[in-house]
Amino acid sequence: MSWAEDIAICRRMLRGGSKTFFAASKVLPRSVGDPAIALYAFCREADDAIDGPARRVDAVEVLHERLDRIYDDAPDDNPVDRALAGVVAHFVIPRGLPEALLEGLAWDAQGRRYETLSDVLAYAVRVAGTVGVMMSLLMHRRDPETIGRACDLGIAMQLTNIARDVGEDARNGRLYLPQQWLREAGLDVETWRAAPFFDDRIGRVTARLLAVADVFYARAAAGIADLPWTCRPGIHAARLIYAEIGREVARVAFDSMSQRAFVSMSRKLQLLGKAAAVSLLQAQPSLAPLRPEARILIDAVVAADAQRPHALAPPRRTMHDRALWVIDLFERLERREQLSRSARTS
């Protein structure tokens, strides 16, 4: 099969079972969105293999063997592996990145516990920071500062996921809130795990985690400013919409045990417009040092680039190009809103 046919199959797979990944690929230019589809499809299969209903005890070993063949440019004869082999070769994606992702997924399967915030961040780096860094590489951005901020965005999103899903995770026998924080709040961790409940102590811990997420969202903004212009609005939109999930959790007194927060479509459209406007601004570089938990990802990219010093980033777009793109985006948003109003009144 051709690359286009493999990507089309991967896209159909994500459309049915991974709507968030599928939607993310649609807000990016085709040159980034198509390779992202290949990455997302492998992530989806890896997650299902390690932690899905049909998981196998040897799933991690099998996935590492698949990576062996992908990185040897001899992938298994299936669309996901063929597509990913093309992506990792073209964009020089270090093997350490998908391997770190598999490690994080394996932690889920093992029921790993997270004692401190640093432990939670190490998990977030693996299951979400890896995706952020790989996406940065798809956009031809490999500078340690930029990919470090991409990792920050992945961390922030994963912390938001954890805060939103406290109840769902607890009912599945999982706990991602730092156990140290729970004890500091006056909770007995084992008692709570055996019979999860919500009270203001859980609310305070959830609020504390979302405050950390906000720090990482702010750090990530500096890195987005270094991305290609056509990618910035989509990535800013993801940052703003995910942060808004945290605001929704806060609006219900941080009770994510009895309900699952979500952002309405109308609010998402508002944030998409805001993302386009924010993309015009030149963010100031972040002075915050990279988290030590993220060094595993940064070092993997730096080591790969040391072996390929000739790899160059494509030319940046001019301010004139940027302005035209944003004007076009606002026009499309306005047309969408007009169609929405017509549908409501018809």
Side-chain angles (χ1 to χ4, degrees), residues 197-247:
F197 59 88
F198 176 80
D199 65 14
D200 65 332
R201 293 172 294 181
I202 292 293
R204 290 198 301 273
V205 172
T206 302
R208 188 176 175 183
L209 192 69
L210 286 171
V212 175
D214 283 341
V215 171
F216 281 97
Y217 283 123
R219 288 162 57 114
I224 297 174
D226 189 48
L227 298 179
W229 175 248
T230 53
C231 298
R232 292 186 201 177
I235 303 303
H236 268 305
R239 179 178 70 91
L240 294 171
I241 290 170
Y242 249 83
E244 188 69 12
I245 294 173
R247 308 289 177 268

Side-chain angles (χ1 to χ4, degrees), residues 140-141 146 225-228 232 313-318 321-322:
H140 300 284
R141 296 298 185 264
T146 301
D226 189 48
L227 298 179
R232 292 186 201 177
R316 307 294 179 88
R317 294 197 170 210
T318 66
D321 294 331
R322 299 173 182 180

Side-chain angles (χ1 to χ4, degrees), residues 66-85:
R66 283 175 64 181
L67 280 180
D68 282 339
R69 293 186 286 274
I70 287 169
Y71 276 84
D72 287 340
D73 197 24
D76 290 353
D77 189 20
N78 67 69
V80 173
D81 288 24
R82 286 194 302 264
L84 184 59

